Amino acid sequence: VKFPPPLLYLAGFLAGVALEAAVPVDRPPLAVTLVATTITLAAWWYFDGRATVAFTRAKTSMIVMKPSTTLVTEGPFQLTRNPMYVGMAFLYVAIAFAVGVVWPLAFLPLVLIAVDRLVIAREEPYLLRRFGAPYADYTARVRRWL
């Protein structure tokens, strides 16, 4: 992977903010904003926080440009092969609601497609070469996203 995946999320978010500046959209009601922000922050914490703990316990790098030393399949990795990317999506939504911008939400599907094609499509063949049959078995039982 040639660039940090968070930059894809940031680029999509900033494109949405630029569109929001040009074509403003009314903020959602405060109750909707508070509930959506709370739920998506909790989901972010679950996916990213627990994935970080799992990587730390396994003593392997979370940075996609560094080699993986251990196949991590515990915690949120039992629900999705990419809990950190799922978590970043929840954080993206949480920030959009918290700051009251709507257009970035329209860009999120494009961000997820970019992450899938530019990052995950490169990571998965590497992980298959690195870990072989255990990784193939893992991909057979756990979905890429949710």
Side-chain angles (χ1 to χ4, degrees):
V1 177
K2 298 182 184 202
F3 51 89
L7 291 181
L8 293 172
Y9 289 88
L10 180 62
F13 196 88
L14 293 177
V17 168
L19 185 56
E20 188 88 23
V23 185
V25 176
D26 291 339
R27 288 181 89 141
L30 182 59
V32 170
T33 298
L34 291 174
V35 169
T37 301
T38 301
I39 290 170
T40 53
L41 278 176
W44 164 71
W45 176 85
Y46 173 81
F47 286 103
D48 262 333
R50 292 195 59 212
T52 299
V53 168
F55 269 103
T56 302
R57 284 184 182 153
K59 295 181 170 72
T60 193
S61 178
M62 293 176 282
I63 301 170
V64 296
M65 282 78 85
K66 292 187 176 183
S68 296
T69 58
T70 306
L71 179 61
V72 179
T73 60
E74 308 210 351
F77 289 93
Q78 295 171 330
L79 300 175
T80 171
R81 296 194 309 259
N82 298 287
M84 296 183 116
Y85 303 143
V86 170
M88 282 187 244
F90 281 116
L91 180 60
Y92 182 109
V93 173
I95 293 169
F97 275 105
V99 299
V101 290
V102 176
W103 279 115
L105 299 173
F107 284 85
L108 183 57
L110 299 175
V111 169
L112 297 177
I113 290 168
V115 169
D116 191 68
R117 305 282 160 73
L118 300 174
V119 179
I120 296 171
R122 293 173 186 244
E123 282 180 340
E124 289 195 333
Y126 162 76
L127 293 170
L128 183 58
R129 286 190 309 275
R130 177 85 169 110
F131 299 110
Y135 183 74
D137 293 343
Y138 174 64
T139 63
R141 69 178 189 276
V142 177
R143 299 169 67 99
R144 178 179 281 171
W145 292 97
L146 287 177

